[in-house]
Amino acid sequence: MKTLEQLVRKNIWSLAPYSSARDEYSGKEAHVFLDANENPYNSPFNRYPDPLQRELKARLERVKGVPTDNIFIGNGSDEAIDLVYRIFCEPNRDNVVSCAPTYGMYQVCADINDVEYRTVLLDELFQLQAEKLLAACDNHTKVIWLCSPNNPTGNSLDRAEILKVIEGFDGIVVVDEAYIDFAQQLSLRQELPTHPNLIILQTMSKAWGSAAIRLGMAFASKEIIAIFNKVKYPYNINLLTQRQALEMLSDPFEVDKWVKTLLMERNRLMQAFLDLPICEQLYKTDANFFLARMTDAQKIYDYLVTRGIIVRNRTHIQLCHNCLRITVGTRSENNELLAALRQY
């Protein structure tokens, strides 16, 4: 791996971060706060939230088994994705490499930051081939993006191939594990101590049922996390989001029940899809959704819209011609979808 100083943009490496009032205060006994030009009324919403989300990170440490110094909390995973570009990629000079098909925000953020986005097609089983991915890199490749379980395909990428990429690349490797709670494959979090170039993304939007609060996590070396904290906006996670996240994290066993229920429903729904004449193929999935190749995805999608049922049409995505992506809902929602498809 190149040194972190070699990988980080020079202006970011030398950046003097904004110092907020609460960053400068480190005591625990103060009760009169006259440092941040806040209105003294309308407690607790008159006060700026903790810029480093210390209580929330302490709770995440217990749930995720990652030290607080190795945790960044963002406004959704999208904030962490954008920060990777802003920290490591020099606009109009550096490039990143990813698989195709995969999550679309990696390319959107590349385009926003004026960074070349290179793709390598997955194979016919939507699997990664590390050698091909590494062959697409050059001296200006700063980041490799991987999503496992992948979106929109649903499958986990081969763990051995992921490790080949991490160990064979001298830049940053980001593994997006948004759907890891639904997968049999274990998270790569335990690989962090031995792979300083690894960044892992997770979210509370999926298994934790909290998409509305917009909370994403990045796990990495404390050195990388320190740079994330230097570049992020001072108060990026509001008080309401932090409180709701703490409440959700207080009962992870309830989330386990949701996951088990959704996996059972996923299996039932996929089995029913196999009996539909309009379904030509289902793909292996480790997520709370599956990819189905249909006889005519666009017509079926349009028909479902008329029935008030919205799925995701992925037919224009590479390798996904005539494919619909189906999110697993409640049993009644899934039954309504099946009933509509049986009447198509």
Side-chain angles (χ1 to χ4, degrees):
M1 176 185 171
K2 294 178 180 176
T3 66
L4 203 54
E5 185 174 358
Q6 289 174 308
L7 291 171
V8 173
R9 292 170 56 191
K10 288 182 174 57
N11 65 307
I12 298 298
W13 186 259
S14 60
L15 176 70
Y18 175 78
S19 179
S20 71
R22 297 297 138 79
D23 283 327
E24 296 172 359
Y25 165 72
S26 59
K28 296 182 179 179
E29 303 301 326
H31 61 279
V32 177
F33 292 98
L34 305 176
D35 58 340
N37 301 336
E38 299 155 324
N39 188 324
Y41 306 112
N42 195 35
S43 179
F45 306 111
N46 59 326
R47 300 298 181 188
Y48 287 108
D50 178 3
L52 293 176
Q53 310 94 32
R54 294 172 180 85
E55 183 181 3
L56 180 52
K57 287 178 180 176
R59 184 73 55 83
L60 280 169
E61 178 176 7
R62 295 198 293 271
V63 173
K64 299 288 187 178
V66 177
T68 58
D69 287 346
N70 299 90
I71 303 173
F72 169 80
I73 299 176
N75 187 348
S77 296
D78 292 341
E79 181 179 7
I81 292 169
D82 185 58
L83 281 174
V84 167
Y85 283 102
R86 291 162 58 195
I87 290 169
F88 296 106
C89 298
E90 195 69 49
N92 203 31
R93 189 186 74 177
D94 291 331
N95 66 75
V96 302
V97 173
S98 188
C99 303
T102 195
Y103 181 45
M105 278 304 294
Y106 311 143
Q107 180 162 8
V108 170
C109 284
D111 293 343
I112 291 171
N113 287 280
D114 199 15
V115 174
E116 180 189 357
Y117 184 82
R118 300 178 177 181
T119 59
V120 177
L121 283 178
L122 298 171
D123 65 20
E124 65 278 1
L125 298 176
F126 297 131
Q127 272 302 335
L128 162 71
Q129 295 179 7
E131 289 184 5
K132 290 185 178 180
L133 203 68
L134 293 170
C137 301
D138 62 20
N139 290 334
H140 289 289
T141 306
K142 288 292 191 69
V143 180
I144 293 177
W145 295 96
L146 300 175
C147 186
S148 182
N150 194 23
N151 178 14
T153 61
N155 62 300
S156 293
L157 300 179
D158 185 272
R159 191 183 187 90
E161 293 297 298
I162 294 176
L163 290 173
K164 285 181 185 177
V165 172
I166 297 170
E167 293 164 1
F169 183 54
D170 62 4
I172 299 296
V173 179
V174 182
V175 181
D176 189 343
E177 294 185 339
Y179 302 95
I180 195 66
D181 298 289
F182 300 101
Q184 293 183 345
Q185 190 175 100
L186 295 176
S187 169
L188 287 165
R189 292 195 304 271
Q190 66 268 28
E191 300 289 341
L192 288 171
T194 54
H195 295 95
N197 64 329
L198 175 61
I199 299 174
I200 295 171
L201 304 182
Q202 292 188 5
T203 180
M204 294 196 71
S205 294
K206 309 304 179 183
W208 291 85
S210 299
I213 72 173
R214 307 306 303 128
L215 191 137
M217 297 154 275
F219 306 106
S221 70
K222 65 180 182 180
E223 292 79 11
I224 289 177
I225 296 301
I227 298 172
F228 269 61
N229 288 331
K230 181 167 74 167
V231 177
K232 78 174 184 69
Y233 292 121
Y235 304 105
N236 60 323
I237 307 297
N238 68 69
L239 175 65
L240 297 177
T241 290
Q242 292 188 46
R243 284 184 168 183
Q244 183 60 29
L246 283 166
E247 182 176 338
M248 291 302 305
L249 290 165
S250 68
D251 190 9
F253 297 108
E254 182 69 16
V255 176
D256 290 341
K257 294 178 184 177
W258 293 345
V259 169
K260 289 178 182 177
T261 299
L262 287 169
L263 292 181
M264 290 175 60
E265 273 299 295
R266 185 191 71 190
N267 294 338
R268 183 183 74 90
L269 190 57
M270 291 180 71
Q271 187 59 48
F273 258 69
L274 290 173
D275 296 330
L276 294 172
I278 56 175
C279 179
E280 295 185 338
Q281 185 176 358
L282 293 182
Y283 294 94
K284 177 179 170 56
T285 181
D286 292 302
N288 65 328
F289 63 87
F290 61 91
L291 197 66
R293 191 174 299 277
M294 312 298 283
T295 53
D296 191 325
Q298 187 63 57
K299 286 186 177 179
I300 296 169
Y301 173 84
D302 292 339
Y303 161 75
L304 288 173
V305 170
T306 67
R307 299 290 296 265
I309 301 170
I310 310 301
V311 297
R312 198 75 190 271
N313 184 5
R314 301 282 77 187
T315 191
H316 300 299
I317 302 296
Q318 288 175 292
L319 303 182
C320 296
H321 179 65
N322 268 337
C323 285
L324 297 178
R325 194 189 69 189
I326 312 296
T327 303
V328 180
T330 64
R331 189 174 187 87
S332 61
E333 290 172 332
N334 299 333
N335 286 342
E336 188 171 348
L337 169 64
L338 290 173
L341 291 175
R342 286 165 182 154
Q343 296 171 23
Y344 175 74

